[in-house]
Amino acid sequence: MKITDAKVIVTCPGRNFVTVKITTEDGLYGIGDATLNGREKSVVSYLEDYVLPALIGRDARRIEDIWQFVYRGPYWRRGPIGMTALAGVDVALWDIKAKAANMPLYQLLGGRSRDRIMTYTHANGEDIQATLKAVEKARSQGYDAIRVQCGIPGIDKIYGVPQGGKDYEPADADLPSEESWSTHKYLNFIPRVFAEIRREFGPDLHLLHDVHHRLTPIEAARLGKELEPYHLFWMEDPVAAENQEMFRLIRQHTTTPLAVGEVFNSIHDCRELIQNQLIDYIRTSVVHAGGITQMRRIADFASLWGVRTGSHGATDLSPVCMGAALHFDYWVPNFGIQEHMAHSDKMESVFTRAYRFEEGYFTPGEAPGHGVDINEEEAAKHPYQRASLPVNRLEDGTLWHW
């Protein structure tokens, strides 16, 4: 089953997506997501100039060998660009292999471990009252788990909280915009938000919160401790995770569960966090962590230490990634939860999908492969538009790295 063609499809139906399409001599093809939010063209160049030409003539069934070739072949390995490109190739090959076997991808991985996949959605509000309304809306849609983000008094813009009723899209400008941040205002306010939510909705709703890497370890420890009475499902990305040891200090001071990993691209990024049991959920995504092949290794390693999966699933991951993630979620024994942000109708017009959402839970569908396809004619109607993520400065003008 030799590879005869491999190409990249770039489209922007409301936001940019990069899709890898690999075709074999048998006429079978598979697609994979290779979107790196805010840096999409860097992955396109890496794929078109270096990776895809080297795949022509190779056996598409040799997924592991191709993964090792793309990963170990370059002297400069890992990194978000290389691993996102590799993920696009890897998922496309798994799609082909499952189609050739005429079975849904989760069956090829070993069969399902659960009947349905619990997901969490986002409830964002500019103030507490708006946030309570957003939580109620999510609950009415059947979600048992909700990530809560709220505007902070005295801070003009909050990453993750749209303004003026607009849809949430973090990449908000052609070039990076600059926003202001105050740690003490945030720390003083957020516990009040969760106190109000628990007062309104009671103890049974699973509540999550994303810190977006903005605290020091001791600040994160304080927040985790102050949120303990509200029994969060997890506190996500409390600190910048390049230094895995920082989580040790947080862990020493709070029993609030910790989640991290959406910006990780290698098992080495999370090895110490997992084996030292410094986190409870690993949030690596199929598209940024080298595809299904490495995600399986990360999950198996995490299972040895009681760490569960909680894969990233924001709208900067295309429906192709979501489809692959749901097949992975259906199979993985140590599953925790799956993030879900609904794609717009415009995005759905470019991609067809077999996965289904009902009352807060997903199933991946029974179509051969991962069940997601791309309409290339429709995709061509939406050309690439550069969009950048915002940059944050502290109130004194210091550039805050997060």
Side-chain angles (χ1 to χ4, degrees):
M1 193 185 293
K2 290 184 178 180
I3 296 171
T4 55
D5 187 52
K7 65 179 182 179
V8 179
I9 303 165
V10 181
T11 184
C12 185
R15 71 152 348 276
N16 294 311
F17 293 123
V18 177
T19 304
V20 175
K21 183 174 183 179
I22 297 175
T23 305
T24 71
E25 60 187 345
D26 310 76
L28 284 177
Y29 69 86
I31 61 173
D33 185 14
T35 306
L36 186 61
N37 191 12
R39 293 293 183 269
E40 298 90 357
K41 284 292 191 74
S42 59
V43 182
V44 173
S45 174
Y46 189 73
L47 283 164
E48 291 183 338
D49 294 336
Y50 303 105
V51 176
L52 297 187
L55 299 182
I56 305 303
R58 297 183 183 275
D59 188 343
R61 295 169 295 189
R62 297 181 63 180
I63 298 175
E64 183 65 41
D65 184 68
I66 291 175
W67 194 95
Q68 297 293 342
F69 174 81
V70 177
Y71 176 77
R72 299 186 185 279
Y75 184 79
W76 310 104
R77 68 178 64 167
R78 296 197 291 274
I81 295 169
M83 296 306 287
T84 300
L86 174 53
V89 170
D90 184 75
V91 170
L93 294 177
W94 278 105
D95 193 24
I96 290 171
K97 198 175 187 76
K99 287 176 178 175
N102 195 33
M103 61 176 59
L105 177 56
Y106 77 84
Q107 292 286 16
L108 201 64
L109 296 176
R112 63 184 173 91
S113 297
R114 56 200 43 83
D115 297 327
R116 55 182 186 163
I117 298 161
M118 184 168 73
T119 64
Y120 72 90
T121 191
H122 296 191
N124 310 312
E126 294 185 56
D127 54 31
I128 290 180
Q129 287 305 310
T131 303
L132 289 172
K133 290 180 181 179
V135 172
E136 176 56 42
K137 179 180 178 181
R139 195 177 68 157
S140 70
Q141 294 170 334
Y143 288 98
D144 294 324
I146 302 171
R147 194 194 84 169
V148 176
Q149 309 295 130
C150 184
I152 309 298
I155 303 179
D156 182 42
K157 290 183 179 180
I158 299 295
Y159 184 81
V161 179
Q163 294 184 316
K166 296 180 180 179
D167 291 334
Y168 170 60
E169 174 49 63
D172 63 353
D174 178 54
L175 295 174
S177 59
E178 296 191 11
E179 300 175 355
S180 181
W181 174 253
S182 170
T183 300
H184 79 274
K185 291 176 182 176
Y186 167 78
L187 288 174
N188 289 336
F189 184 71
I190 282 297
R192 290 173 49 196
V193 175
F194 284 92
E196 289 296 324
I197 291 172
R198 282 297 183 213
R199 187 176 296 113
E200 181 78 16
F201 298 102
D204 294 331
L205 196 62
H206 295 306
L207 299 177
L208 305 85
H209 179 64
D210 190 350
V211 185
H212 292 121
H213 310 115
R214 297 193 179 198
L215 302 179
T216 66
I218 198 64
E219 291 167 347
R222 167 191 161 183
L223 179 61
K225 193 171 186 65
E226 292 184 356
L227 291 175
E228 284 177 11
Y230 313 116
H231 302 149
L232 266 63
F233 188 95
W234 76 37
M235 180 172 69
E236 177 186 343
D237 293 347
V239 296
E242 287 90 341
N243 181 356
Q244 298 181 43
E245 187 67 18
M246 288 197 294
F247 278 78
R248 189 179 302 278
L249 181 61
I250 306 171
R251 194 63 130 184
Q252 289 170 349
H253 290 279
T254 181
T255 58
T256 295
L258 302 175
V260 73
E262 71 182 61
V263 299
F264 292 171
N265 52 74
S266 165
I267 193 171
H268 302 289
D269 294 327
C270 53
R271 178 177 55 81
E272 295 175 24
L273 290 170
I274 290 171
Q275 70 184 22
N276 293 319
Q277 296 175 284
L278 301 180
I279 59 172
D280 302 280
Y281 296 90
I282 179 64
R283 300 204 63 246
T284 46
S285 66
V286 170
V287 66
H288 296 145
I292 293 286
T293 296
Q294 186 174 225
M295 283 284 285
R296 295 179 78 185
R297 294 191 177 105
I298 292 172
D300 284 341
F301 180 61
S303 71
L304 300 177
W305 307 98
V307 174
R308 297 176 179 177
T309 65
S311 292
H312 184 49
T315 49
D316 58 318
L317 282 60
S318 88
V320 180
C321 181
M322 189 64 178
L326 290 171
H327 282 271
F328 174 82
D329 295 338
Y330 224 30
W331 159 77
V332 65
N334 52 318
F335 171 76
I337 199 167
Q338 171 66 53
E339 182 178 18
H340 172 229
M341 289 180 66
H343 291 105
S344 68
D345 292 341
K346 186 185 291 186
M347 295 181 197
E348 298 281 5
S349 72
V350 173
F351 298 93
T352 59
R353 55 181 174 84
Y355 61 79
R356 299 187 303 277
F357 173 79
E358 185 176 356
E359 292 295 315
Y361 290 80
F362 269 101
T363 51
E366 296 298 315
H370 54 53
V372 182
D373 206 349
I374 186 169
N375 182 330
E376 294 188 57
E377 290 186 7
E378 190 67 28
K381 298 176 183 178
H382 308 284
Y384 170 81
Q385 298 179 36
R386 185 172 65 186
S388 301
L389 295 169
V391 172
N392 266 258
R393 294 183 182 273
L394 298 179
E395 289 180 305
D396 68 356
T398 303
L399 189 64
W400 182 239
H401 299 282
W402 55 283

